[in-house]
Amino acid sequence: MSIDNLGIHLGPLYLRFYGIILITGALAGGYLAAYEAKRLKLNPSFVWDLLTWLLLGGIIGARLYHVITPSPSMMPAGTPNPYFQDPIRIIQIWRGGLGIPGGLLGGALTLWLYTKIQKQSFPVWADIIMPAVLLGQAIGRWGNYINQELYGLPTNLPWSIYISPENRTGEYLDYSNFHPLFLYESILNILGCILLLWIARKYKHNLIPGDITFGYFVIYPFIRFILEFIRVDSSKIGTINANQTLMAIVALLSVIALIFRKRMAKQNSD
């Protein structure tokens, strides 16, 4: 066995740290979701039966989102999409490149189909799974550290991280240390996970199935919206920051949906 900066060699096998971290995040999320299911007197086996399909759907969605909206360093203005020029790169997930918005959409579609087939409640299981998604994302973000992705503007703060020249964007080639944006998001995701779990317990008698899910779509988009202000190499559609704009829209719509649901529930109870 030998170890390098990106993975572990086990004879003919090469286990990349990026993949190991993603799987670790998925398993941690699975254990949390199973625990929540048991707390709510539901079958935790449902989570483990679902996990492989959820992971597959999420990864496919995340990869497709990244392929469609690559970062400016991969596709400078006026140049063709590198994935369309060399399609084999689309399946090379170990090199990095997973878009969370696409992963959420792929995972949501997978969960909806699975609950429909199993004749289970989609909103109930979504509420169980969304805190676990935040935990999985918090762990998965450390894969960006391995691949030197998701870093912020240059900084001399004590917790800054070194980015090797080949992983820097053109305008920042003369800088070496940057904000560890992956770390900021990881910490905030954990806090968001704790907040959703607290709400699920504190207000369990006032919640409508789906409220925790909408809560996720307020908390996580807000985190991403804020962090995009200091992110280097954000995906663009024209001159618009694709992720930041999408996150703002999702958070706003989720807040509106929560308010509307609460008003409707109050009217129905009167």
Side-chain angles (χ1 to χ4, degrees), residues 62-112:
R63 187 60 173 176
L64 289 177
Y65 184 85
H66 170 75
V67 167
I68 295 169
T69 61
S71 59
S73 63
M74 294 185 66
M75 192 177 69
T79 63
N81 189 308
Y83 292 107
F84 298 159
Q85 296 296 106
D86 184 15
I88 192 65
R89 293 180 61 181
I90 294 175
I91 64 174
Q92 294 175 340
I93 297 176
W94 57 87
R95 297 176 64 178
L98 295 173
I100 293 295
L104 292 173
L105 179 58
L109 288 173
T110 302
L111 178 61
W112 179 79

Side-chain angles (χ1 to χ4, degrees), residues 6 27 33 38 43 55 72 84 96 126 138 145 147 159 162 179 184 186 198 201 216 218 230 239 242 245 268:
L6 295 177
L27 290 174
K38 187 175 181 180
N43 185 3
L55 188 59
F84 298 159
Y145 173 70
N147 284 354
W159 55 83
Y162 173 79
H179 280 283
Y184 300 162
S186 181
W198 178 79
R201 288 158 171 76
Y216 170 93
V218 173
I230 61 171
T239 58
T245 303
N268 292 334

Side-chain angles (χ1 to χ4, degrees), residues 18-64:
Y18 187 82
I20 293 171
I21 290 170
L22 290 182
I23 294 299
T24 301
L27 290 174
Y31 276 108
L32 177 57
Y35 178 84
E36 285 297 281
K38 187 175 181 180
R39 181 179 69 84
L40 296 171
K41 296 180 172 53
L42 295 172
N43 185 3
S45 296
F46 183 87
V47 173
W48 299 114
D49 294 337
L50 165 68
L51 185 60
T52 300
W53 298 107
L54 201 60
L55 188 59
L56 182 61
I59 288 176
I60 291 173
R63 187 60 173 176
L64 289 177

Side-chain angles (χ1 to χ4, degrees), residues 26 58 74-75 103 131 140 146 191 224:
M74 294 185 66
M75 192 177 69
I146 298 298
L191 294 176
R224 283 295 300 269

Side-chain angles (χ1 to χ4, degrees), residues 93-258:
I93 297 176
W94 57 87
R95 297 176 64 178
L98 295 173
I100 293 295
L104 292 173
L105 179 58
L109 288 173
T110 302
L111 178 61
W112 179 79
L113 285 171
Y114 195 84
T115 52
K116 189 175 181 64
I117 291 170
Q118 298 295 326
K119 295 180 172 55
Q120 296 286 322
S121 169
F122 171 73
V124 168
W125 282 104
D127 283 353
I128 289 171
I129 287 170
M130 296 321 290
V133 170
L134 275 173
L135 176 61
Q137 287 175 219
I139 296 171
R141 275 307 183 195
W142 285 84
N144 297 129
Y145 173 70
I146 298 298
N147 284 354
Q148 295 203 332
E149 304 169 312
L150 194 63
Y151 55 90
L153 294 169
T155 182
N156 291 319
L157 289 170
W159 55 83
S160 66
I161 55 171
Y162 173 79
I163 300 296
S164 56
E166 64 269 19
N167 291 316
R168 300 173 197 164
T169 58
E171 58 187 311
Y172 297 109
L173 286 176
D174 294 333
Y175 296 89
S176 59
N177 287 63
F178 299 80
H179 280 283
L181 212 60
F182 78 92
L183 176 61
Y184 300 162
E185 185 173 325
S186 181
I187 293 171
L188 290 172
N189 284 344
I190 290 174
L191 294 176
C193 172
I194 293 171
L195 177 58
L196 286 180
L197 293 173
W198 178 79
I199 291 172
R201 288 158 171 76
K202 178 72 173 179
Y203 300 102
K204 61 182 178 180
H205 298 302
N206 304 107
L207 293 175
I208 306 167
D211 279 354
I212 295 297
T213 300
F214 279 113
Y216 170 93
F217 284 108
V218 173
I219 292 170
Y220 181 69
F222 178 75
I223 291 171
R224 283 295 300 269
F225 179 83
I226 296 300
L227 293 181
E228 285 290 329
F229 282 111
I230 61 171
R231 181 174 180 175
V232 169
D233 209 23
S234 295
S235 297
K236 297 285 199 307
I237 297 178
T239 58
I240 298 174
N241 184 316
N243 289 330
Q244 189 174 47
T245 303
L246 177 61
M247 292 297 106
I249 293 171
V250 170
L252 179 60
L253 291 177
S254 297
V255 169
I256 293 172
L258 281 169

